[in-house]
């Protein structure tokens, strides 16, 4: 693993200007090598008791790895040991509504508002006495990391974001897209209905597997890999969080009033000033923008890498070497 990490650092520097990362030259380690985390921890943080995996030295620079929907912490099962072997302290939390992360009170509103999820991560950092971390994620996790980097840059040492700049607002969510683009968001409209809520609740595993297949059309995953992550959807708040998240985006569900002032800041699409690397798989089947459309949203040291080799939406699990290399690279900016 030490040899692999050395190759990661060297290859990351060499490819930073090209915008392309050749997975074959990065490291011989293959995705899927690791089957489980050694242990899970729990800690009270804000409104939650957060379940998280941890790897690496307690004294290392912190990397917070943030998963998306419908995925879980196992998206980073091969990334974590690579970063740990490079000297980092790696924290991988279950987001609210996933795995062993639970609400401390039955009275707390089960909000899927992206800003609420970002504040969960801030609360987790406070609980763990982490002043600053490299934030790296995809899907909901990348959106969460973007929000923190924009609103609380002092807490974000650097950023790795799959699919780029993902800060949006209810106002922007009301803008219609061309029909072909709208088609990609079919599940968002399905979730807007009570039939959609009931359908997701009843068929959540079939639904998640379908999303995996659509979002990563060239990723061949087995049932063991899928079932390992699907277990996290048994969380009692999972359906409520997911449905509220997508309804909120369309302006069909109210957010929490206490966040209104911060939401106004996000509605202005703030510039992200921290060092950033954005990543995109060359076979991402999920909705995403061209990197040229968001490059100007990052004013600090910035690079974009397209990861070749049939890599889809779940980039850290499909290409763990490239994802870990991006974290190491951005830490050097």
């Amino acid at each position: 693993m030490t040899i692999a990490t050395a190759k990661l650092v060297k290859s990351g520097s060499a490819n930073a200007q090209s915008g392309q990362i050749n997975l074959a030259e990065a490291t011989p380690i293959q995705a899927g090598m690791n089957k489980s985390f050694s242990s899970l921890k729990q800690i009270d943080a804000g409104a939650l008791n957060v379940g998280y995996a941890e790897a690496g030295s307690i004294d290392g620079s912190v990397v917070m790895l943030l998963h998306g929907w419908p995925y879980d912490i196992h998206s980073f099962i091969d990334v974590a040991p690579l970063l740990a072997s490079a000297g980092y302290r790696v924290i991988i939390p279950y987001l609210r509504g996933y795995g062993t992360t639970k609400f401390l009170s039955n009275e707390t509103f089960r909000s899927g508002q992206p800003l609420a999820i970002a504040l969960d991560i801030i609360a987790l950092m406070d609980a763990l006495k982490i002043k600053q971390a490299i934030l790296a994620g995809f899907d909901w996790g990348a959106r969460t990391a973007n929000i923190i980097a924009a609103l609380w840059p002092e807490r974000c040492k650097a950023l790795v974001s799959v699919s780029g700049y993902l800060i949006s607002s209810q106002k922007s969510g009301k803008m219609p897209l061309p029909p072909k683009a709208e088609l990609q968001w079919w599940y968002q409209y399905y979730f807007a209905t009570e039939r959609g809520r009931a359908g997701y609740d009843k068929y959540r595993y079939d639904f998640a597997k379908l999303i995996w297949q659509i979002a990563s059309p060239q990723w061949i995953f087995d049932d063991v890999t899928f079932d390992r992550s699907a277990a996290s959807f048994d969380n009692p708040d999972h359906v409520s969080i997911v449905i509220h998240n997508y309804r909120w985006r369309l302006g069909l569900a109210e957010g929490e009033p206490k966040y209104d002032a911060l939401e106004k800041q996000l509605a202005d699409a703030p510039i992200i000033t921290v060092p950033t690397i954005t990543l995109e798989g060359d076979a991402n089947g999920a909705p995403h923008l061209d990197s040229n459309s968001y490059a100007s949203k990052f004013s600090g040291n910035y690079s974009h890498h397209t990861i070749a080799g049939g890599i889809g939406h779940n980039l850290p699990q499909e290409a763990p070497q490239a994802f870990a290399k991006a974290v190491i690279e951005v830490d050097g900016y």
Side-chain angles (χ1 to χ4, degrees):
M1 198 66 79
T2 302
I3 294 173
T5 302
K7 290 184 178 182
L8 281 168
V9 176
K10 181 178 179 181
S11 182
S13 300
N15 286 280
Q17 294 181 346
S18 69
Q20 289 284 335
I21 297 176
N22 187 331
L23 298 181
E25 72 181 25
T27 170
I29 293 174
Q30 298 298 312
M33 283 189 61
N34 298 286
K35 303 304 179 184
S36 64
F37 293 104
S38 59
S39 64
L40 287 179
K41 300 180 179 181
Q42 299 288 142
I43 190 169
D44 288 351
L48 303 171
N49 178 259
V50 179
Y52 66 100
E54 183 170 0
S57 170
I58 192 70
D59 298 320
S61 296
V62 179
V63 179
M64 191 78 66
L65 301 177
L66 304 174
H67 70 81
W69 170 85
Y71 306 93
D72 79 333
I73 63 174
H74 293 94
S75 289
F76 302 103
I77 192 69
D78 294 311
V79 172
L82 286 170
L83 294 176
S85 69
Y88 292 96
R89 180 187 180 190
V90 186
I91 308 291
I92 316 105
Y94 282 113
L95 300 186
R96 58 168 59 192
Y98 295 81
T100 60
T101 291
K102 304 291 176 62
F103 284 87
L104 294 173
S105 171
N106 291 331
E107 304 304 316
T108 304
F109 176 52
R110 273 39 178 178
S111 172
Q113 192 172 351
L115 183 56
I117 298 171
L119 286 164
D120 289 343
I121 301 305
I122 294 290
L124 176 60
M125 292 174 66
D126 290 343
L128 293 173
K129 296 180 171 55
I130 296 170
K131 293 183 178 180
Q132 190 179 60
I134 299 171
L135 302 177
F138 72 107
D139 197 84
W140 285 24
R143 188 179 301 271
T144 301
N146 275 221
I147 291 171
I148 296 172
L151 296 183
W152 301 282
E154 72 278 3
R155 306 304 297 270
C156 182
K157 182 181 180 182
L159 173 67
V160 174
S161 179
V162 176
S163 297
Y165 186 86
L166 296 175
I167 294 175
S168 60
S169 66
Q170 287 186 317
K171 181 179 179 180
S172 64
K174 293 178 181 179
M175 298 296 294
L177 301 172
K180 188 175 181 179
E182 296 282 18
L183 180 62
Q184 292 185 299
W185 289 106
W186 64 272
Y187 54 87
Q188 184 169 239
Y189 303 111
Y190 181 61
F191 290 162
T193 68
E194 285 306 302
R195 174 174 171 160
R197 169 190 274 275
Y200 185 60
D201 192 9
K202 183 176 181 178
Y203 299 110
R204 70 184 77 176
Y205 311 115
D206 294 333
F207 202 104
K209 183 173 285 188
L210 176 62
I211 294 295
W212 281 33
Q213 292 165 343
I214 292 172
S216 299
Q218 297 185 42
W219 181 34
I220 307 301
F221 57 88
D222 57 25
D223 288 342
V224 172
T225 298
F226 175 76
D227 291 345
R228 182 179 60 188
S229 289
S232 72
F233 312 148
D234 288 333
N235 185 292
D237 300 307
H238 178 74
V239 173
S240 295
I241 298 296
V242 171
I243 296 301
H244 183 262
N245 178 282
Y246 286 104
R247 290 183 180 180
W248 180 89
R249 294 193 202 185
L250 291 176
L252 301 176
E254 295 294 327
E256 297 185 73
K258 63 183 178 181
Y259 300 143
D260 286 352
L262 292 172
E263 287 292 359
K264 287 181 180 179
Q265 295 182 51
L266 294 177
D268 291 332
I271 298 293
I272 291 176
T273 60
V274 304
T276 299
I277 289 178
T278 57
L279 300 174
E280 192 62 80
D282 66 341
N284 184 5
H288 63 281
L289 296 173
D290 184 271
S291 61
N292 292 325
S293 70
Y294 54 71
S296 63
K297 302 304 292 184
F298 302 97
S299 66
N301 291 336
Y302 171 73
S303 295
H304 175 80
H305 300 316
T306 298
I307 311 304
I311 304 303
H313 189 59
N314 187 5
L315 195 150
Q317 194 164 359
E318 298 175 60
Q321 314 95 307
F323 193 88
K325 183 165 60 177
V327 172
I328 295 170
E329 180 183 336
V330 80
D331 190 24
Y333 280 6

